[in-house]
């Protein structure tokens, strides 16, 4: 179940990744990280996102899987030369794994904490930006530029 919660937190990591991956920019870029941190640490926003993800997970748990599994089963049979096994038309993730029904409650519980952790990481990255800028400048002068390119 822990992997499911981590997977549910992935959209937030993807939200933060472009900010973290930006080229080291002028000092005002740290403001974007501060704004991101404030958004991620806002309890109202955390609860809204957690509730939305919980509802989405409920829907996903009850989606019929036969339209996905049946063609895959036929393709596997074509490859192996064996006849495809029949697929239960009522198969859902919830029926396959009844313990998955706990996922929405886990999301509601853990996503706000994950967002708070990401807010703290964003704060740390904002604090680190000046040192990274200094290091980048030092590397520009220290590394040889054999092709005349700026690194």
């Amino acid at each position: 179940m822990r992997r499911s919660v981590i997977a549910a937190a992935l959209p937030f990591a993807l939200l933060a990744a472009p900010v973290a991956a930006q080229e080291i920019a002028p000092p005002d870029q740290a403001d974007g990280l501060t704004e991101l941190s404030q958004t991620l640490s806002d309890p109202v926003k955390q609860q809204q996102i957690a509730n939305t993800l919980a509802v989405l997970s409920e829907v996903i748990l009850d989606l019929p899987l036969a339209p996905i599994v049946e063609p895959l089963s036929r393709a596997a049979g074509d490859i192996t030369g064996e006849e495809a096994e029949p697929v239960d038309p009522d198969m859902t993730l919830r029926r396959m794994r009844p313990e998955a029904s706990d996922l929405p409650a886990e999301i509601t519980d853990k996503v706000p904490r994950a967002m708070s952790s990401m807010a703290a990481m964003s704060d740390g990255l904002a604090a680190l930006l000046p040192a990274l800028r200094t290091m980048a400048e030092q590397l520009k002068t220290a590394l040889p530029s054999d092709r005349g390119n700026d690194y």
Side-chain angles (χ1 to χ4, degrees), residues 26-51:
D28 61 343
Q29 288 295 326
D31 293 341
L33 290 173
T34 302
E35 185 178 326
L36 176 64
S37 174
Q38 289 170 349
T39 300
L40 289 172
S41 62
D42 177 5
V44 173
K45 186 76 69 184
Q46 289 175 347
Q47 202 55 56
Q48 288 172 337
I49 291 171
N51 290 342

Side-chain angles (χ1 to χ4, degrees), residues 102-125:
D102 298 339
L103 182 61
E106 256 190 271
I107 288 172
T108 302
D109 180 49
K110 294 182 179 175
V111 165
R113 284 187 275 164
M115 290 177 70
S116 291
S117 295
M118 285 189 273
M121 288 187 288
S122 180
D123 285 339
L125 186 56

Side-chain angles (χ1 to χ4, degrees), residues 12 22 30 36 44 55-56 59 63 67 75 81 89 93 107 130-131 147-148:
F12 303 108
Q22 284 179 351
L36 176 64
V44 173
V55 168
L56 287 172
V59 170
L63 279 177
L93 287 175
I107 288 172
R147 288 178 266 158

